[in-house]
Amino acid sequence: CQPATITLDASGVATLTTADVDNGSSDNCSVSLSLSQTTFTCSDLGTNTVTLTATDANGLSSTCTSIVTVLDAAAPTITAQNVTVSLDASGNASITTADIDNGSSDNCGLTLSLDVTAFTCADIGANTVTLTGTDASGNSSTATATVTVQDVTAPTMSCQSVTLNLDASGNAILTTADIDNGSTDNCGVTLTLAQSAFTCSDVGTNTVTLTGTDASGNTSTCTATVTVIDNLAPMATCQPATITLDASGVATLTTAD
């Protein structure tokens, strides 16, 4: 006998022949050779002891053993698919190999892994990930897929009422900080007001809308009551006046005088 090395095919099967292990067996009257095992599968990867039996025409037989090494040289076939994932309320999203795998296969089975599985607000848009398949013999292949990360969660808005005092010019300015009461978004929010400038014509109660917009264009609103008051007393300034009595001995003074 002689040692032999055989390689599994794409179906995970390899066939051993007597010629693979026979190393010149002979008999004085011719000999028939047979093997204790001829078919090998993925479960036989590595070394296997096989018996070669030689039998002559008179039924006399002898045996020897051979070490048969079974190899798997076929790399996995990896197929990936594109996916879209949405960030959760915390601004996070994750994927698994099952999300990306699109029917990858190997003649002896494989283990799949991804180079990136976790995504945040910083990853909104298209991201390239690599799916790697590795079999028990260390053969590996890869494929890439596009993971589109989206944020479909609108901001959570909270408003509070506020009172504004007109200044000496009869004006008052409202800021988003004045009426925002802790508005939030999973990926950050920009606040805007429907009205920020107020004058004497707005004295009293006014309903103002606060809008929150995130980077993905999701929006929400809330409203607040803005009470505008004028608590500055007038500044009265007087000037001396001269008036003349008429023929009836009467004169009239006006505020303009």
Side-chain angles (χ1 to χ4, degrees):
C1 287
Q2 63 183 353
T5 298
I6 57 176
T7 302
L8 298 174
D9 62 19
S11 300
V13 176
T15 301
L16 183 71
T17 67
T18 55
D20 294 325
V21 298
D22 180 35
N23 194 28
S25 303
S26 61
D27 186 73
N28 60 348
C29 289
S30 78
V31 65
S32 173
L33 300 176
S34 64
L35 289 167
S36 60
Q37 182 178 356
T38 59
T39 301
F40 297 81
T41 66
C42 298
S43 61
D44 300 307
L45 284 172
T47 58
N48 304 264
T49 300
V50 176
T51 300
L52 177 68
T53 300
T55 306
D56 66 16
N58 294 307
L60 302 171
S61 66
S62 297
T63 63
C64 63
T65 59
S66 172
I67 299 299
V68 176
T69 302
V70 179
L71 302 178
D72 173 22
T77 299
I78 304 301
T79 306
Q81 62 186 349
N82 300 330
V83 296
T84 297
V85 294
S86 297
L87 298 172
D88 61 18
S90 301
N92 297 297
S94 62
I95 59 172
T96 66
T97 54
D99 295 322
I100 302 299
D101 181 36
N102 193 30
S104 301
S105 61
D106 184 73
N107 59 349
C108 286
L110 75 165
T111 300
L112 297 174
S113 62
L114 285 166
D115 62 337
V116 181
T117 59
F119 302 87
T120 66
C121 298
D123 302 306
I124 289 176
N127 302 265
T128 300
V129 299
T130 300
L131 179 67
T132 301
T134 305
D135 66 18
S137 298
N139 303 304
S140 66
S141 297
T142 63
T144 59
T146 298
V147 177
T148 302
V149 178
Q150 62 181 3
D151 173 22
V152 295
T153 303
T156 300
M157 302 300 297
S158 179
C159 287
Q160 62 186 352
S161 297
V162 67
T163 297
L164 293 180
N165 293 308
L166 296 175
D167 62 18
S169 301
N171 296 298
I173 299 298
L174 181 71
T175 67
T176 56
D178 294 326
I179 64 172
D180 179 37
N181 193 31
S183 302
T184 60
D185 184 73
N186 58 350
C187 288
V189 61
T190 299
L191 302 176
T192 57
L193 287 167
Q195 182 180 355
S196 59
F198 297 84
T199 65
C200 297
S201 63
D202 300 306
V203 169
T205 58
N206 304 264
T207 300
V208 176
T209 300
L210 178 68
T211 300
T213 306
D214 65 20
S216 295
N218 303 303
T219 63
S220 296
T221 62
C222 63
T223 58
T225 298
V226 177
T227 302
V228 178
I229 61 174
D230 173 20
N231 59 8
L232 294 178
M235 181 178 294
T237 304
C238 292
Q239 63 185 350
T242 300
I243 57 176
T244 304
L245 298 173
D246 62 15
S248 300
V250 176
T252 301
L253 182 70
T254 68
T255 56
D257 296 329

